[in-house]
Amino acid sequence: MLCLPAILTLTWCLTVCQADIVSDLAQQSGTVYLPGDSGFEEKRKVMNAACTAQPAVIVVPNFDQDVSTIIKAAKANNIELSVRSGGHSYTCTNIKEGGLHMDMRSFNKLEMVDTTLSPTGKALKLGPGR
């Protein structure tokens, strides 16, 4: 199913398309929050209280592979994707009305990895979360 732009059809998309994207998100291991779910509002809030956008779905991925699945689900359902790391956005651009919001705060680790791209053979992998 193809969703129309959420800004024009938010109510329709929240009821019809939400089911489609939730079904697509079942392929990943992260937690999916819908409006009204316990934890949804806590995940939605950002540092700037003036940002009041209500995404249709919030997803907290557990693994790198989940991130790929979430991005593909947003694209397949023609739903705007927003990504949160720290939640600081003076202009409220880090969360989209009626969109899919991916909360990356749990990706807050530093990891030394082997790579052929560095002269030392090592690189530091940084998570975007806080």
Side-chain angles (χ1 to χ4, degrees):
M1 163 150 313
L2 184 65
C3 291
L4 298 174
I7 194 137
L8 299 175
T9 60
L10 182 58
T11 303
W12 177 80
C13 198
L14 285 175
T15 56
V16 177
C17 298
Q18 196 174 56
D20 293 338
I21 194 138
V22 168
S23 175
D24 290 347
L25 291 170
Q27 300 173 33
Q28 55 90 43
S29 68
T31 305
V32 176
Y33 296 92
L34 300 175
D37 287 352
S38 175
F40 178 90
E41 187 58 22
E42 183 268 325
K43 297 292 182 193
R44 187 205 63 78
K45 283 186 181 177
V46 294
M47 300 295 181
N48 184 348
C51 302
T52 59
Q54 292 287 324
V57 180
I58 298 174
V59 186
V60 180
N62 290 323
F63 303 103
D64 298 353
Q65 299 86 351
D66 294 339
V67 174
S68 176
T69 301
I70 293 164
I71 293 168
K72 289 175 184 174
K75 183 176 180 181
N77 289 275
N78 194 32
I79 189 168
E80 191 169 16
L81 176 67
S82 59
V83 180
R84 176 186 184 150
S85 58
H88 298 84
S89 177
Y90 179 74
T91 58
C92 300
T93 56
N94 63 339
I95 189 165
K96 304 298 181 191
E97 185 73 35
L100 188 159
H101 188 60
M102 183 166 45
D103 187 326
M104 299 293 293
R105 287 180 287 175
S106 63
F107 280 65
N108 59 358
K109 298 170 185 70
L110 304 176
E111 178 183 358
M112 187 65 72
V113 295
D114 296 323
T115 180
T116 58
L117 301 175
S118 167
T120 64
K122 297 286 184 187
L124 187 61
K125 182 178 176 182
L126 306 171
R130 57 175 161 153

PDB file of all heavy atoms in Angstrom, residues 93-122:
ATOM      1  N   THR A  93      13.400  20.239  13.585  1.00  0.00           N
ATOM      2  CA  THR A  93      13.504  19.451  12.349  1.00  0.00           C
ATOM      3  C   THR A  93      13.836  17.986  12.603  1.00  0.00           C
ATOM      4  O   THR A  93      13.911  17.211  11.662  1.00  0.00           O
ATOM      5  CB  THR A  93      14.581  20.039  11.423  1.00  0.00           C
ATOM      6  OG1 THR A  93      15.822  20.093  12.146  1.00  0.00           O
ATOM      7  CG2 THR A  93      14.201  21.433  10.949  1.00  0.00           C
ATOM      8  N   ASN A  94      13.992  17.585  13.859  1.00  0.00           N
ATOM      9  CA  ASN A  94      14.400  16.215  14.139  1.00  0.00           C
ATOM     10  C   ASN A  94      13.244  15.244  14.370  1.00  0.00           C
ATOM     11  O   ASN A  94      13.468  14.089  14.693  1.00  0.00           O
ATOM     12  CB  ASN A  94      15.357  16.185  15.338  1.00  0.00           C
ATOM     13  CG  ASN A  94      14.703  16.681  16.605  1.00  0.00           C
ATOM     14  OD1 ASN A  94      13.710  17.393  16.565  1.00  0.00           O
ATOM     15  ND2 ASN A  94      15.261  16.319  17.741  1.00  0.00           N
ATOM     16  N   ILE A  95      12.025  15.702  14.182  1.00  0.00           N
ATOM     17  CA  ILE A  95      10.860  14.820  14.313  1.00  0.00           C
ATOM     18  C   ILE A  95       9.784  15.316  13.342  1.00  0.00           C
ATOM     19  O   ILE A  95       9.559  16.511  13.218  1.00  0.00           O
ATOM     20  CB  ILE A  95      10.358  14.772  15.780  1.00  0.00           C
ATOM     21  CG1 ILE A  95       9.308  13.694  15.963  1.00  0.00           C
ATOM     22  CG2 ILE A  95       9.887  16.120  16.248  1.00  0.00           C
ATOM     23  CD1 ILE A  95       9.052  13.353  17.414  1.00  0.00           C
ATOM     24  N   LYS A  96       9.156  14.385  12.627  1.00  0.00           N
ATOM     25  CA  LYS A  96       8.220  14.750  11.557  1.00  0.00           C
ATOM     26  C   LYS A  96       6.793  14.331  11.897  1.00  0.00           C
ATOM     27  O   LYS A  96       6.547  13.208  12.344  1.00  0.00           O
ATOM     28  CB  LYS A  96       8.627  14.089  10.231  1.00  0.00           C
ATOM     29  CG  LYS A  96      10.055  14.402   9.798  1.00  0.00           C
ATOM     30  CD  LYS A  96      10.250  15.871   9.555  1.00  0.00           C
ATOM     31  CE  LYS A  96      11.665  16.162   9.113  1.00  0.00           C
ATOM     32  NZ  LYS A  96      12.003  17.539   9.098  1.00  0.00           N
ATOM     33  N   GLU A  97       5.871  15.223  11.655  1.00  0.00           N
ATOM     34  CA  GLU A  97       4.442  14.967  11.854  1.00  0.00           C
ATOM     35  C   GLU A  97       3.994  13.818  10.954  1.00  0.00           C
ATOM     36  O   GLU A  97       4.190  13.853   9.744  1.00  0.00           O
ATOM     37  CB  GLU A  97       3.645  16.231  11.530  1.00  0.00           C
ATOM     38  CG  GLU A  97       2.170  16.134  11.806  1.00  0.00           C
ATOM     39  CD  GLU A  97       1.850  16.156  13.296  1.00  0.00           C
ATOM     40  OE1 GLU A  97       2.533  16.853  14.070  1.00  0.00           O
ATOM     41  OE2 GLU A  97       0.894  15.454  13.669  1.00  0.00           O
ATOM     42  N   GLY A  98       3.404  12.793  11.552  1.00  0.00           N
ATOM     43  CA  GLY A  98       2.867  11.672  10.788  1.00  0.00           C
ATOM     44  C   GLY A  98       3.912  10.745  10.196  1.00  0.00           C
ATOM     45  O   GLY A  98       3.577   9.848   9.436  1.00  0.00           O
ATOM     46  N   GLY A  99       5.166  10.924  10.564  1.00  0.00           N
ATOM     47  CA  GLY A  99       6.245  10.128   9.976  1.00  0.00           C
ATOM     48  C   GLY A  99       6.659   8.955  10.841  1.00  0.00           C
ATOM     49  O   GLY A  99       6.032   8.622  11.850  1.00  0.00           O
ATOM     50  N   LEU A 100       7.742   8.331  10.426  1.00  0.00           N
ATOM     51  CA  LEU A 100       8.363   7.256  11.190  1.00  0.00           C
ATOM     52  C   LEU A 100       9.579   7.877  11.875  1.00  0.00           C
ATOM     53  O   LEU A 100      10.442   8.457  11.218  1.00  0.00           O
ATOM     54  CB  LEU A 100       8.811   6.123  10.258  1.00  0.00           C
ATOM     55  CG  LEU A 100       9.296   4.841  10.929  1.00  0.00           C
ATOM     56  CD1 LEU A 100       9.209   3.683   9.960  1.00  0.00           C
ATOM     57  CD2 LEU A 100      10.695   4.941  11.467  1.00  0.00           C
ATOM     58  N   HIS A 101       9.635   7.768  13.179  1.00  0.00           N
ATOM     59  CA  HIS A 101      10.709   8.382  13.961  1.00  0.00           C
ATOM     60  C   HIS A 101      11.596   7.272  14.518  1.00  0.00           C
ATOM     61  O   HIS A 101      11.111   6.384  15.218  1.00  0.00           O
ATOM     62  CB  HIS A 101      10.092   9.204  15.090  1.00  0.00           C
ATOM     63  CG  HIS A 101      11.067  10.031  15.852  1.00  0.00           C
ATOM     64  ND1 HIS A 101      11.830  11.007  15.274  1.00  0.00           N
ATOM     65  CD2 HIS A 101      11.396  10.024  17.166  1.00  0.00           C
ATOM     66  CE1 HIS A 101      12.584  11.578  16.192  1.00  0.00           C
ATOM     67  NE2 HIS A 101      12.336  10.992  17.346  1.00  0.00           N
ATOM     68  N   MET A 102      12.886   7.307  14.181  1.00  0.00           N
ATOM     69  CA  MET A 102      13.832   6.295  14.645  1.00  0.00           C
ATOM     70  C   MET A 102      14.677   6.900  15.765  1.00  0.00           C
ATOM     71  O   MET A 102      15.380   7.893  15.563  1.00  0.00           O
ATOM     72  CB  MET A 102      14.720   5.822  13.486  1.00  0.00           C
ATOM     73  CG  MET A 102      15.666   4.725  13.876  1.00  0.00           C
ATOM     74  SD  MET A 102      16.457   3.851  12.484  1.00  0.00           S
ATOM     75  CE  MET A 102      16.948   5.164  11.397  1.00  0.00           C
ATOM     76  N   ASP A 103      14.596   6.316  16.946  1.00  0.00           N
ATOM     77  CA  ASP A 103      15.293   6.801  18.129  1.00  0.00           C
ATOM     78  C   ASP A 103      16.602   6.025  18.288  1.00  0.00           C
ATOM     79  O   ASP A 103      16.598   4.844  18.604  1.00  0.00           O
ATOM     80  CB  ASP A 103      14.403   6.604  19.361  1.00  0.00           C
ATOM     81  CG  ASP A 103      14.974   7.230  20.612  1.00  0.00           C
ATOM     82  OD1 ASP A 103      16.212   7.251  20.773  1.00  0.00           O
ATOM     83  OD2 ASP A 103      14.175   7.687  21.446  1.00  0.00           O
ATOM     84  N   MET A 104      17.732   6.717  18.053  1.00  0.00           N
ATOM     85  CA  MET A 104      19.051   6.082  18.057  1.00  0.00           C
ATOM     86  C   MET A 104      19.799   6.256  19.376  1.00  0.00           C
ATOM     87  O   MET A 104      20.982   5.952  19.459  1.00  0.00           O
ATOM     88  CB  MET A 104      19.894   6.665  16.908  1.00  0.00           C
ATOM     89  CG  MET A 104      19.326   6.446  15.535  1.00  0.00           C
ATOM     90  SD  MET A 104      19.329   4.709  15.065  1.00  0.00           S
ATOM     91  CE  MET A 104      21.081   4.405  14.947  1.00  0.00           C
ATOM     92  N   ARG A 105      19.142   6.710  20.420  1.00  0.00           N
ATOM     93  CA  ARG A 105      19.851   6.990  21.676  1.00  0.00           C
ATOM     94  C   ARG A 105      20.516   5.770  22.283  1.00  0.00           C
ATOM     95  O   ARG A 105      21.515   5.903  22.999  1.00  0.00           O
ATOM     96  CB  ARG A 105      18.907   7.641  22.686  1.00  0.00           C
ATOM     97  CG  ARG A 105      18.593   9.072  22.322  1.00  0.00           C
ATOM     98  CD  ARG A 105      17.672   9.710  23.306  1.00  0.00           C
ATOM     99  NE  ARG A 105      16.321   9.168  23.142  1.00  0.00           N
ATOM    100  CZ  ARG A 105      15.310   9.464  23.930  1.00  0.00           C
ATOM    101  NH1 ARG A 105      15.481  10.270  24.945  1.00  0.00           N
ATOM    102  NH2 ARG A 105      14.119   8.955  23.707  1.00  0.00           N
ATOM    103  N   SER A 106      20.026   4.584  22.014  1.00  0.00           N
ATOM    104  CA  SER A 106      20.666   3.384  22.580  1.00  0.00           C
ATOM    105  C   SER A 106      21.963   3.030  21.859  1.00  0.00           C
ATOM    106  O   SER A 106      22.745   2.221  22.355  1.00  0.00           O
ATOM    107  CB  SER A 106      19.697   2.196  22.546  1.00  0.00           C
ATOM    108  OG  SER A 106      19.370   1.878  21.210  1.00  0.00           O
ATOM    109  N   PHE A 107      22.220   3.639  20.712  1.00  0.00           N
ATOM    110  CA  PHE A 107      23.467   3.413  19.974  1.00  0.00           C
ATOM    111  C   PHE A 107      24.528   4.377  20.519  1.00  0.00           C
ATOM    112  O   PHE A 107      24.990   5.268  19.832  1.00  0.00           O
ATOM    113  CB  PHE A 107      23.255   3.635  18.474  1.00  0.00           C
ATOM    114  CG  PHE A 107      22.616   2.471  17.780  1.00  0.00           C
ATOM    115  CD1 PHE A 107      21.327   2.081  18.077  1.00  0.00           C
ATOM    116  CD2 PHE A 107      23.305   1.752  16.821  1.00  0.00           C
ATOM    117  CE1 PHE A 107      20.729   1.003  17.445  1.00  0.00           C
ATOM    118  CE2 PHE A 107      22.722   0.682  16.171  1.00  0.00           C
ATOM    119  CZ  PHE A 107      21.435   0.304  16.483  1.00  0.00           C
ATOM    120  N   ASN A 108      24.928   4.196  21.759  1.00  0.00           N
ATOM    121  CA  ASN A 108      25.809   5.148  22.425  1.00  0.00           C
ATOM    122  C   ASN A 108      27.150   4.531  22.825  1.00  0.00           C
ATOM    123  O   ASN A 108      27.744   4.915  23.808  1.00  0.00           O
ATOM    124  CB  ASN A 108      25.107   5.735  23.652  1.00  0.00           C
ATOM    125  CG  ASN A 108      24.702   4.661  24.653  1.00  0.00           C
ATOM    126  OD1 ASN A 108      24.905   3.481  24.419  1.00  0.00           O
ATOM    127  ND2 ASN A 108      24.133   5.072  25.757  1.00  0.00           N
ATOM    128  N   LYS A 109      27.615   3.583  22.042  1.00  0.00           N
ATOM    129  CA  LYS A 109      28.852   2.884  22.378  1.00  0.00           C
ATOM    130  C   LYS A 109      30.009   3.315  21.488  1.00  0.00           C
ATOM    131  O   LYS A 109      29.809   3.770  20.370  1.00  0.00           O
ATOM    132  CB  LYS A 109      28.630   1.383  22.234  1.00  0.00           C
ATOM    133  CG  LYS A 109      27.564   0.845  23.182  1.00  0.00           C
ATOM    134  CD  LYS A 109      27.201  -0.576  22.853  1.00  0.00           C
ATOM    135  CE  LYS A 109      26.079  -1.074  23.711  1.00  0.00           C
ATOM    136  NZ  LYS A 109      24.804  -0.483  23.424  1.00  0.00           N
ATOM    137  N   LEU A 110      31.197   3.139  21.994  1.00  0.00           N
ATOM    138  CA  LEU A 110      32.421   3.316  21.228  1.00  0.00           C
ATOM    139  C   LEU A 110      33.033   1.938  21.050  1.00  0.00           C
ATOM    140  O   LEU A 110      33.092   1.159  21.993  1.00  0.00           O
ATOM    141  CB  LEU A 110      33.411   4.221  21.968  1.00  0.00           C
ATOM    142  CG  LEU A 110      32.920   5.595  22.362  1.00  0.00           C
ATOM    143  CD1 LEU A 110      33.992   6.307  23.174  1.00  0.00           C
ATOM    144  CD2 LEU A 110      32.582   6.406  21.135  1.00  0.00           C
ATOM    145  N   GLU A 111      33.484   1.628  19.835  1.00  0.00           N
ATOM    146  CA  GLU A 111      34.045   0.306  19.577  1.00  0.00           C
ATOM    147  C   GLU A 111      35.242   0.435  18.637  1.00  0.00           C
ATOM    148  O   GLU A 111      35.160   1.084  17.602  1.00  0.00           O
ATOM    149  CB  GLU A 111      32.952  -0.570  18.924  1.00  0.00           C
ATOM    150  CG  GLU A 111      33.382  -1.941  18.564  1.00  0.00           C
ATOM    151  CD  GLU A 111      32.273  -2.717  17.866  1.00  0.00           C
ATOM    152  OE1 GLU A 111      31.156  -2.191  17.694  1.00  0.00           O
ATOM    153  OE2 GLU A 111      32.543  -3.851  17.472  1.00  0.00           O
ATOM    154  N   MET A 112      36.358  -0.185  19.013  1.00  0.00           N
ATOM    155  CA  MET A 112      37.535  -0.218  18.154  1.00  0.00           C
ATOM    156  C   MET A 112      37.354  -1.382  17.180  1.00  0.00           C
ATOM    157  O   MET A 112      37.061  -2.506  17.590  1.00  0.00           O
ATOM    158  CB  MET A 112      38.800  -0.428  18.988  1.00  0.00           C
ATOM    159  CG  MET A 112      40.074  -0.303  18.200  1.00  0.00           C
ATOM    160  SD  MET A 112      40.378   1.349  17.537  1.00  0.00           S
ATOM    161  CE  MET A 112      40.800   2.243  19.003  1.00  0.00           C
ATOM    162  N   VAL A 113      37.465  -1.087  15.885  1.00  0.00           N
ATOM    163  CA  VAL A 113      37.270  -2.113  14.865  1.00  0.00           C
ATOM    164  C   VAL A 113      38.484  -2.172  13.936  1.00  0.00           C
ATOM    165  O   VAL A 113      39.212  -1.202  13.778  1.00  0.00           O
ATOM    166  CB  VAL A 113      35.990  -1.846  14.029  1.00  0.00           C
ATOM    167  CG1 VAL A 113      34.747  -1.953  14.902  1.00  0.00           C
ATOM    168  CG2 VAL A 113      36.048  -0.494  13.353  1.00  0.00           C
ATOM    169  N   ASP A 114      38.688  -3.347  13.347  1.00  0.00           N
ATOM    170  CA  ASP A 114      39.735  -3.524  12.343  1.00  0.00           C
ATOM    171  C   ASP A 114      39.221  -3.029  11.001  1.00  0.00           C
ATOM    172  O   ASP A 114      38.044  -3.224  10.672  1.00  0.00           O
ATOM    173  CB  ASP A 114      40.119  -5.004  12.232  1.00  0.00           C
ATOM    174  CG  ASP A 114      40.745  -5.537  13.522  1.00  0.00           C
ATOM    175  OD1 ASP A 114      41.494  -4.785  14.158  1.00  0.00           O
ATOM    176  OD2 ASP A 114      40.472  -6.700  13.876  1.00  0.00           O
ATOM    177  N   THR A 115      40.105  -2.391  10.231  1.00  0.00           N
ATOM    178  CA  THR A 115      39.712  -1.885   8.925  1.00  0.00           C
ATOM    179  C   THR A 115      40.931  -1.789   8.010  1.00  0.00           C
ATOM    180  O   THR A 115      42.044  -1.582   8.478  1.00  0.00           O
ATOM    181  CB  THR A 115      39.028  -0.512   9.033  1.00  0.00           C
ATOM    182  OG1 THR A 115      38.660  -0.070   7.728  1.00  0.00           O
ATOM    183  CG2 THR A 115      39.945   0.521   9.666  1.00  0.00           C
ATOM    184  N   THR A 116      40.685  -1.932   6.740  1.00  0.00           N
ATOM    185  CA  THR A 116      41.751  -1.732   5.755  1.00  0.00           C
ATOM    186  C   THR A 116      41.785  -0.285   5.277  1.00  0.00           C
ATOM    187  O   THR A 116      42.636   0.102   4.497  1.00  0.00           O
ATOM    188  CB  THR A 116      41.541  -2.658   4.533  1.00  0.00           C
ATOM    189  OG1 THR A 116      40.269  -2.377   3.965  1.00  0.00           O
ATOM    190  CG2 THR A 116      41.630  -4.122   4.950  1.00  0.00           C
ATOM    191  N   LEU A 117      40.872   0.539   5.743  1.00  0.00           N
ATOM    192  CA  LEU A 117      40.773   1.931   5.314  1.00  0.00           C
ATOM    193  C   LEU A 117      41.679   2.867   6.107  1.00  0.00           C
ATOM    194  O   LEU A 117      41.816   4.028   5.757  1.00  0.00           O
ATOM    195  CB  LEU A 117      39.320   2.410   5.428  1.00  0.00           C
ATOM    196  CG  LEU A 117      38.294   1.619   4.615  1.00  0.00           C
ATOM    197  CD1 LEU A 117      36.893   2.111   4.923  1.00  0.00           C
ATOM    198  CD2 LEU A 117      38.607   1.720   3.136  1.00  0.00           C
ATOM    199  N   SER A 118      42.299   2.376   7.167  1.00  0.00           N
ATOM    200  CA  SER A 118      43.149   3.198   8.017  1.00  0.00           C
ATOM    201  C   SER A 118      44.597   2.716   7.928  1.00  0.00           C
ATOM    202  O   SER A 118      44.840   1.513   7.876  1.00  0.00           O
ATOM    203  CB  SER A 118      42.660   3.097   9.462  1.00  0.00           C
ATOM    204  OG  SER A 118      43.612   3.624  10.355  1.00  0.00           O
ATOM    205  N   PRO A 119      45.553   3.624   7.942  1.00  0.00           N
ATOM    206  CA  PRO A 119      46.969   3.209   7.918  1.00  0.00           C
ATOM    207  C   PRO A 119      47.349   2.342   9.124  1.00  0.00           C
ATOM    208  O   PRO A 119      48.243   1.513   9.040  1.00  0.00           O
ATOM    209  CB  PRO A 119      47.744   4.530   7.946  1.00  0.00           C
ATOM    210  CG  PRO A 119      46.782   5.594   7.617  1.00  0.00           C
ATOM    211  CD  PRO A 119      45.413   5.078   7.903  1.00  0.00           C
ATOM    212  N   THR A 120      46.657   2.529  10.248  1.00  0.00           N
ATOM    213  CA  THR A 120      46.951   1.737  11.446  1.00  0.00           C
ATOM    214  C   THR A 120      46.202   0.409  11.461  1.00  0.00           C
ATOM    215  O   THR A 120      46.457  -0.444  12.295  1.00  0.00           O
ATOM    216  CB  THR A 120      46.573   2.527  12.711  1.00  0.00           C
ATOM    217  OG1 THR A 120      45.150   2.739  12.713  1.00  0.00           O
ATOM    218  CG2 THR A 120      47.308   3.833  12.803  1.00  0.00           C
ATOM    219  N   GLY A 121      45.244   0.257  10.563  1.00  0.00           N
ATOM    220  CA  GLY A 121      44.425  -0.952  10.545  1.00  0.00           C
ATOM    221  C   GLY A 121      43.313  -0.933  11.570  1.00  0.00           C
ATOM    222  O   GLY A 121      42.613  -1.922  11.757  1.00  0.00           O
ATOM    223  N   LYS A 122      43.142   0.183  12.253  1.00  0.00           N
ATOM    224  CA  LYS A 122      42.116   0.315  13.294  1.00  0.00           C
ATOM    225  C   LYS A 122      41.277   1.568  13.035  1.00  0.00           C
ATOM    226  O   LYS A 122      41.726   2.531  12.433  1.00  0.00           O
ATOM    227  CB  LYS A 122      42.755   0.454  14.679  1.00  0.00           C
ATOM    228  CG  LYS A 122      43.568  -0.742  15.116  1.00  0.00           C
ATOM    229  CD  LYS A 122      42.676  -1.864  15.504  1.00  0.00           C
ATOM    230  CE  LYS A 122      43.494  -3.035  16.051  1.00  0.00           C
ATOM    231  NZ  LYS A 122      42.669  -4.199  16.285  1.00  0.00           N
TER     232      LYS A 122
END
